Amino acid sequence: GAVVSQHPSRVICKSGTSVKIECRSLDFQATTMFWYRQFPKQSLMLMATSNEGSKATYEQGVEKDKFLINHASLTLSTLTVTSAHPEDSSFYICSAARGGRARETQYFGPGTRLLVL
Amino acid sequence: LAKTTQPISMDSYEGQEVNITCSHNNIATNDYITWYQQFPSQGPRFIIQGYKTKVTNEVASLFIPADRKSSTLSLPRVSLSDTAVYYCLVGGSYQLTFGKGTKLSVIP
């Protein structure tokens, strides 16, 4: 149980275009989902936290107008990178948590490799 | 959020037991300790979680001393497939701050 998928697994796009990444919890309902970014040989950096039906909470330094997050259902969250530029090239990873408990485990997706040319 | 400190890298031979220690001196009363494993170009995978004393599952053991200012992940009889980066996270409801992790290299 607790499987999280991401689509696409990798994407290459031209500078200036927008890219949407989907994150799905396949066998559980995720009250809360998280989006991370990981640059080569670095650790994961939290970008934002989203709760189903409400606006995402972004970490300091993350542009909410550039990284649009939608958490429309308990099993799906999307991250849209708008007007992507080469510096947005990175490994994007989502995680999902059931929520509602004092102690919660995140279950991570397999990640999406974005390359902006 | 409690800051964590881990060794940057470790080497081990196949079949040996590996212990990775994480320091978290300012851990709060409500904080839990969670360890994740990450292979290159993959999302982290949950290994084990604990609050105090010892926790064991089919993959690893987690040792937490009484003061909870550190924790040790123990991997029994590692194999080449255990080569990965291991992260120690500390926090309350969600542990969201990843440190630099420990890169474990298993040598044949």
Side-chain angles (χ1 to χ4, degrees):
Chain A
V3 178
V4 177
S5 70
Q6 279 185 244
H7 178 80
S9 58
R10 57 181 61 196
V11 57
I12 301 173
C13 69
K14 294 181 178 180
S15 184
T17 61
S18 295
V19 175
K20 180 184 284 188
I21 303 171
E22 290 187 350
C23 176
R24 292 181 184 273
S25 56
L26 299 184
D27 52 2
F28 67 100
Q29 292 186 325
T31 302
T32 306
M33 287 186 168
F34 306 91
W35 286 94
Y36 293 82
R37 181 167 52 182
Q38 186 174 32
F39 292 107
K41 299 188 184 303
Q42 293 188 23
S43 186
L44 284 78
M45 293 294 295
L46 179 68
M47 299 176 66
T49 301
S50 74
N51 291 293
E52 184 263 341
S54 61
K55 291 183 178 180
T57 301
Y58 291 81
E59 294 299 300
Q60 192 172 9
V62 178
E63 301 175 57
K64 62 180 180 180
D65 294 330
K66 180 171 183 60
F67 298 99
L68 302 178
I69 292 173
N70 183 277
H71 192 163
S73 75
L74 287 172
T75 60
L76 173 64
S77 176
T78 60
L79 168 68
T80 301
V81 183
T82 62
S83 187
H85 291 284
E87 57 265 30
D88 298 323
S89 298
S90 187
F91 191 51
Y92 292 86
I93 309 170
C94 73
S95 70
R98 290 183 175 91
R101 301 188 298 178
R103 173 170 56 97
E104 192 57 73
T105 298
Q106 298 179 70
Y107 299 96
F108 287 84
T112 296
R113 178 76 61 190
L114 171 63
L115 176 61
V116 184
L117 302 177
Chain B
L1 295 174
K3 181 181 177 181
T4 60
T5 303
Q6 303 173 232
I8 293 176
S9 64
M10 294 181 68
D11 293 337
S12 175
Y13 287 102
E14 269 191 300
Q16 289 189 330
E17 177 184 77
V18 171
N19 296 308
I20 306 174
T21 297
C22 178
S23 297
H24 29 79
N25 291 318
N26 59 338
I27 187 170
T29 303
N30 296 329
D31 287 348
Y32 282 80
I33 301 158
T34 308
W35 286 79
Y36 289 88
Q37 174 193 55
Q38 187 182 28
F39 297 112
S41 296
Q42 293 186 27
R45 183 176 75 99
F46 172 85
I47 300 176
I48 198 166
Q49 184 179 71
Y51 182 79
K52 62 180 180 180
T53 63
K54 176 184 176 182
V55 180
T56 298
N57 60 22
E58 64 277 8
V59 177
S61 294
L62 179 60
F63 299 92
I64 306 169
D67 65 5
R68 303 201 326 123
K69 293 183 183 300
S70 66
S71 59
T72 299
L73 174 71
S74 180
L75 304 172
R77 298 181 299 282
V78 295
S79 63
L80 296 177
S81 62
D82 293 318
T83 293
V85 178
Y86 292 82
Y87 293 99
C88 159
L89 278 72
V90 175
S93 296
Y94 302 113
Q95 297 89 42
L96 304 174
T97 302
F98 280 78
K100 297 184 185 301
T102 298
K103 184 176 182 180
L104 172 65
S105 298
V106 180
I107 306 165

